[in-house]
Amino acid sequence: MMASGDDAAFGNESGTGNGSSILPGIGSKGKYERIDAELANDRPTRGSESKRYVFVCAVFASLNSVLLGYDVGVMSGCILFIQKDLHITEVQQEVLVGCLSIISLVGSLAAGRTSDAIGRKWTICLAAIIFQTGAAIMAFAPSFRVLIIGRLLAGVGIGCGVMVAPVYIAEISPTVSRGSFTSFPEIFINLGILLGYISNYAFSGLSEHISWRIMLGIGIVPSVFIGFALFIIPESPRWLVMQKKVEEARSVLMRISESEEEVECKLAEIEEAAGGVKGEKCEEKAVWLEFLRPSPALRRMLITGFGIQCFQQISGIDATVYYSPTIFRDAGISSDSKLLAATVAVGFTKTTFILVAILLIDRVGRKPLLYVSTVGMTVSLFCLGLALSLLGHELVSPRVGILVAILAVCGNVAFFSVGLGPICWVMSSEIFPLRLRAQAAALGTVGNRVSSGVVAMSFLSMCRALSVAGTFFIFSAISAISVVFMYMYVPETKGKSLEQIELLFDSGREWQRIEVELGDMEVLVQKE
């Protein structure tokens, strides 16, 4: 009886102008949902449709990331057969592995310009075409020189795709799930790595001359599907506003938003963020001058974005993935088939744990996951170095050493996937202002690719000079430094719109902490 009385009381209140606007927002999943049946039935349907549409767009936009992951994974096995077939030296191995990351910075810088000039959508397409050309050349390369040419082209395509996908996804995603959607490229990188490892294992039984060519040629397949994406994904509404295509932007927002009121609110927010550059094509010179003479807020953004990109790579993740067969061979595994089977386990672990990040990034937040990730990587890398340094010691049996090495490598990639891997791209795509977002993200990607290339091209030389164990002790120390960096320079951006995030960098870290708390309260109020 008391419940029915409450229902009646609230039902009467909802009959006034004030009650109906508040109660559905508060009790949308409770007993008051029936007060406004039409609104309660309409909004979830519209919301679920828009989220499904954004999900599909994020998947298609992330396909280029499969290419990067596949190349990283497949090259770890290909290098074993390329070495035997083309008789390349150790230095040539390092150049072959690392040149893709170095040259991809050209693609990232170019994507910063093209994504502002022709749009995010068509830059994604351009990246796929360039990679396809490079992959085809690699598959039919008759010599090491031609193989390098194909790899350089593939690197440019990968650099374009890796930079533009997170920016595009961040600009079309709703605030409450932006972290999950923007993590999709990292999911697909991990999926590509796993597919590369599986390809290594599947074709390892073929002749040395054929096996690596098939492994590399299969990389063309994912980029073919990007052609279908052009008929499905829209252009970024934020880019459209900058091009004075407000009606087109409104049309896109109608498909990715839950209500017309939300569309108009977002559109006004985007136009305000675009500011003086709305509808104007900023000159390249002016943008880069702003980077060279940044305001205090922009300087903090650049330190955060560039720093997290560099730490993602200099902590040694690409060395772990590219050279996992080398690591396991040093640990005592001699058979090529067993080496490649162990790398499949690494790829499976890396892909599985990225799902943990997707589930938690918009619930727990960015910084807690970054702490777990960097601390876990530090411990795993130290354990790997310790296991490798104790090999041959009378107190440690070879089987135990191999097991600890495999577990440490799997632990490292697992902790990487839980935090630093996906959140690096999430943060880089959401912290910069609209007028600078594409080219600032490109600059951060350059740092990522250069760091990756330096690590990949120097790993074998470092191992020869310091031993494999000593190299991973260095990576462990770098990972420990990254924990301090995350604490000092990375703010929490969970629950804030792209436009609100700009405010996080206007003052010092103390002000950032307060603003994040207030921002979360604002989101709750807006939902109500």
Side-chain angles (χ1 to χ4, degrees), residues 373-386:
S373 176
T374 50
V375 171
M377 289 172 62
T378 301
V379 174
S380 297
L381 290 166
F382 182 83
C383 290
L384 178 58
L386 189 62

Side-chain angles (χ1 to χ4, degrees), residues 117-172:
I118 66 175
R120 287 34 166 165
K121 173 181 175 179
W122 291 103
T123 301
I124 292 173
C125 175
L126 179 64
I129 293 173
I130 296 173
F131 178 85
Q132 285 177 331
T133 305
I137 292 174
M138 285 194 292
F140 294 100
S143 64
F144 177 75
R145 183 176 298 176
V146 177
L147 182 62
I148 285 290
I149 293 173
R151 191 149 174 81
L152 293 177
L153 269 176
V156 173
I158 285 175
C160 279
V162 166
M163 174 264 145
V164 73
V167 171
Y168 173 82
I169 297 171
E171 291 186 346
I172 67 167

Side-chain angles (χ1 to χ4, degrees), residues 490-507:
V490 179
E492 179 59 75
T493 58
K494 176 177 73 77
K496 300 190 72 65
S497 71
L498 294 177
E499 288 68 35
Q500 290 172 328
I501 289 172
E502 294 181 36
L503 300 176
L504 292 174
F505 294 87
D506 283 345
S507 296

Side-chain angles (χ1 to χ4, degrees), residues 180 183 187 353-364 369:
S180 296
S183 300
I187 295 179
F353 276 85
I354 188 65
L355 300 178
V356 177
I358 300 307
L359 294 173
L360 297 180
I361 190 170
D362 285 316
R363 298 180 182 180
V364 175
L369 290 180

Side-chain angles (χ1 to χ4, degrees), residues 315 320 370-388 404-416 469 472-483:
S315 54
T320 304
L370 283 173
Y371 289 142
V372 171
S373 176
T374 50
V375 171
M377 289 172 62
T378 301
V379 174
S380 297
L381 290 166
F382 182 83
C383 290
L384 178 58
L386 189 62
L388 294 174
V404 173
I406 293 175
L407 291 176
V409 171
C410 289
N412 183 46
V413 298
F415 281 114
F416 177 86
F472 279 101
F473 281 134
I474 291 177
F475 287 146
S476 177
I478 294 173
S479 182
I481 295 173
S482 73
V483 180

Side-chain angles (χ1 to χ4, degrees), residues 230-281:
L230 300 179
F231 298 98
I232 296 176
I233 67 175
E235 184 51 83
S236 162
R238 288 170 169 85
W239 182 81
L240 290 171
V241 169
M242 292 182 67
Q243 303 300 312
K244 281 188 176 177
K245 300 179 180 180
V246 178
E247 289 306 315
E248 292 184 38
R250 179 180 281 108
S251 177
V252 174
L253 287 171
M254 288 293 291
R255 302 192 68 178
I256 64 177
S257 304
E258 297 188 10
S259 65
E260 293 185 13
E261 293 80 4
E262 184 180 347
V263 169
E264 295 306 320
C265 181
K266 283 184 177 179
L267 192 59
E269 200 173 40
I270 294 169
E271 288 181 310
E272 182 179 357
V277 300
K278 183 186 71 174
E280 300 176 9
K281 294 183 178 180

